[in-house]
Amino acid sequence: MKNLIQLGFAALLSLNSITANAQSKNISKDNSLLWEVSGNGLSKPSYITGTFHILCSKDFEIKPKVLKALEKSENFVMEINYTDPAEMMSLQKMFKADKKISDQLSPEEARELNTVLANYGTDLKSIDSSSPQTLYALLSTKAIPCAQNEVKLYEMELLQKAMKDKKSIKGLEKVEDQMKSINEAYDLKSIITQLKMDKEYQILFTQMIEAFKNENVQSLYSLFKDERFMNDHQEKAMLTNRNQNWVKIMPDMMKKESSLFAVGGSHLMGENGIIPLLQAKGFTVKPVSGL
């Protein structure tokens, strides 16, 4: 359960980012989760692939064109470099809390949370010493429509292939950066509110998975037009700021060596998506149907 919760942070970041992107007026008509970046002084093209961090085995597939893009690239760049021991230490530390969850709630709120947690197969006593972010990660563990032993981690599969092929592994941000985004977007009370919407998240995950399998960008956007999952402030913290930070460092990576960037599929589109931000910098970014 703990390993799945760790990856749950990344899954929820993608889930909420897609929710935010769905509200953008600038929706791409190109149905592809692999994009080629060229021009603007690049000697070789680089690639960006949208991912779905956690999938059931029955839904899991890495498209041949994505594997080909990895083969053609010198760097494999993830949101976080999971091969960095320092990052793995940070991942462990984020589960530790400065104070108990129950100490931050009224007795009535604690009882209510305990009732909600029963739907997630746990209780407040069991996780009282955990960080609020651990609660946040529970959302994805419940929404995934299969048992833990049937789960596939998309980036981990790509990472194994990249390491086997002796690619250079890099990250776009640190674990601390992701935690800062979550902390800025969601306090304990708002996380509890999200936990109460477990059934909505399950429905959302199922629809997202189908759209992802079909590389249907339009569906990814049309699914999430309400504000139940994210407000403007949360969108800025979870999506806009991160995309802008990534696009600041991506050009140097691409100029030095060809790279395959693997990020949550939700980060690609929207007014502040990676693709339009790179295009605004003068790069040619186009969808790839095959390589």
Side-chain angles (χ1 to χ4, degrees), residues 3-259:
N3 290 336
L4 190 55
I5 285 177
Q6 290 176 345
L7 269 297
F9 286 103
L12 263 295
L13 286 169
S14 285
L15 175 64
N16 283 315
S17 298
I18 289 176
T19 303
N21 274 338
Q23 299 167 20
S24 171
K25 295 178 181 178
N26 299 320
I27 297 176
S28 172
K29 295 180 180 180
D30 297 304
N31 285 342
S32 179
L33 288 169
L34 180 67
W35 295 71
E36 181 188 88
V37 186
S38 61
N40 200 19
L42 297 184
S43 58
K44 300 177 183 178
S46 284
Y47 301 91
I48 303 169
T49 187
T51 69
F52 200 104
H53 299 300
I54 302 179
L55 286 166
C56 298
S57 297
K58 64 182 179 62
D59 298 313
F60 182 82
E61 178 192 12
I62 298 178
K63 302 286 186 185
K65 64 182 180 181
V66 174
L67 293 175
K68 186 67 175 178
L70 177 59
E71 180 184 319
K72 291 166 68 70
S73 301
E74 296 162 278
N75 294 327
F76 176 57
V77 187
M78 310 167 70
E79 292 181 17
I80 291 172
N81 182 357
Y82 289 107
T83 67
D84 185 340
E87 289 305 291
M88 293 302 93
M89 287 183 65
S90 295
L91 199 60
Q92 295 295 329
K93 288 179 181 178
M94 73 186 180
F95 291 102
K96 299 178 181 179
D98 296 329
K99 54 183 176 180
K100 291 184 177 181
I101 292 172
S102 58
D103 290 341
Q104 304 173 59
L105 302 171
S106 69
E108 181 179 348
E109 289 170 333
R111 285 193 294 270
E112 182 181 25
L113 175 57
N114 194 57
T115 300
V116 171
L117 289 174
N119 294 327
Y120 292 85
T122 188
D123 55 33
L124 182 54
K125 182 179 179 180
S126 300
I127 63 170
D128 202 16
S129 297
S130 301
S131 67
Q133 291 76 29
T134 302
L135 289 179
Y136 183 74
L138 284 174
L139 279 165
S140 63
T141 66
K142 180 71 179 294
I144 298 165
C146 59
Q148 183 177 349
N149 62 359
E150 298 174 4
V151 163
K152 287 273 193 178
L153 308 178
Y154 195 96
E155 279 89 349
M156 295 301 105
E157 298 290 330
L158 276 176
L159 176 60
Q160 289 177 10
K161 174 66 174 170
M163 293 175 68
K164 181 180 179 181
D165 293 345
K166 302 188 185 311
K167 305 293 183 181
S168 177
I169 312 299
K170 302 181 185 299
L172 288 168
E173 64 184 5
K174 305 291 187 182
V175 168
E176 290 181 0
D177 297 326
Q178 284 199 357
M179 291 307 99
K180 181 180 178 181
S181 297
I182 295 175
N183 290 336
E184 187 176 341
Y186 297 102
D187 59 17
L188 177 59
K189 301 291 180 65
S190 60
I191 290 174
I192 293 172
T193 298
Q194 297 288 308
L195 285 170
K196 293 176 183 178
M197 296 192 293
D198 62 318
K199 287 183 170 54
E200 286 91 338
Y201 271 106
Q202 289 178 55
I203 294 170
L204 189 59
F205 250 68
T206 300
Q207 294 173 323
M208 273 176 53
I209 289 167
E210 192 62 28
F212 179 80
K213 288 165 62 177
N214 293 325
E215 297 190 76
N216 195 326
V217 179
Q218 288 284 21
S219 291
L220 287 176
Y221 283 100
S222 63
L223 285 170
F224 314 111
K225 292 185 178 179
D226 63 70
E227 297 182 351
R228 289 175 299 163
F229 305 102
M230 179 169 286
N231 58 37
D232 291 342
H233 169 74
Q234 291 163 341
E235 174 186 354
K236 187 174 186 296
M238 301 286 280
L239 177 67
T240 302
N241 292 344
R242 296 172 72 216
N243 287 349
Q244 290 175 345
N245 288 337
W246 295 352
V247 168
K248 288 177 183 177
I249 63 176
M250 289 172 70
D252 281 343
M253 289 182 174
M254 293 186 290
K255 286 176 182 177
K256 291 177 181 178
E257 296 175 307
S258 59
S259 301

Side-chain angles (χ1 to χ4, degrees), residues 240 243-244 247 271-283:
T240 302
N243 287 349
Q244 290 175 345
V247 168
E271 184 177 351
N272 293 294
I274 289 175
I275 289 169
L277 289 176
L278 285 174
Q279 289 172 333
K281 284 181 172 287
F283 293 97

